[in-house]
Amino acid sequence: TLPTATWTTLNLDSERFDTDTIHCTVLNTGRLTATTAGVYSIVGHVAFAFSAAGTIRGVRLLLNGTTVIGSVFAHPVQLTEATKISVPAHYQLAAADYVELQAYQDTGGNLAVVASANDSPEFAMVKVA
């Protein structure tokens, strides 16, 4: 559940696969941590529960708890469907740098992130160079 008007790190309690030990399902579950320096392809995907309230939904990638390296904002879908947002980035990371997937909404109350296997929330990081 996301509080209104607050960037919130999404904690992830499972993995589809992790070939480089970049995620832990016990400690700091909202982080993907680079184990080696290099250029990484990073992507996050969030589906927000339907709500006609509010005017904006947002998703961002936050580096080391301070630096935004990618962000996407959208107006909520005015149907009875979830609002879905994906945010991509390619970024040079040092060993031990970590990235968090954060979400934002402004409904004036709490709003759920849709939890759906293989769809939302999704967070991935792959070393490309």
Side-chain angles (χ1 to χ4, degrees):
T1 300
L2 302 173
T4 192
T6 303
W7 283 103
T8 303
T9 297
L10 301 180
N11 292 310
L12 305 165
D13 62 2
S14 63
E15 300 172 343
R16 191 170 305 133
F17 58 87
D18 185 355
T19 61
D20 203 20
T21 318
I22 65 169
H23 181 253
C24 179
T25 59
V26 178
L27 300 172
N28 297 316
T29 61
R31 295 180 180 183
L32 299 181
T33 303
T35 55
T36 57
V39 175
Y40 285 80
S41 178
I42 309 159
V43 64
H45 179 75
V46 178
F48 296 83
F50 168 74
S51 174
T55 59
I56 201 78
R57 309 291 184 264
V59 177
R60 73 181 184 182
L61 301 170
L62 190 67
L63 174 65
N64 296 329
T66 59
T67 304
V68 176
I69 61 171
S71 61
V72 176
F73 294 89
H75 295 289
V77 176
Q78 295 300 315
L79 304 172
T80 57
E81 300 177 15
T83 298
K84 297 181 177 185
I85 302 175
S86 295
V87 58
H90 285 89
Y91 207 81
Q92 176 82 39
L93 300 177
D97 279 350
Y98 66 90
V99 181
E100 296 169 294
L101 176 63
Q102 295 190 320
Y104 179 92
Q105 59 85 18
D106 69 347
T107 62
N110 291 338
L111 184 65
V113 167
V114 175
S116 178
N118 302 316
D119 183 44
S120 173
E122 288 283 310
F123 190 25
M125 184 167 86
V126 177
K127 186 177 177 184
V128 294

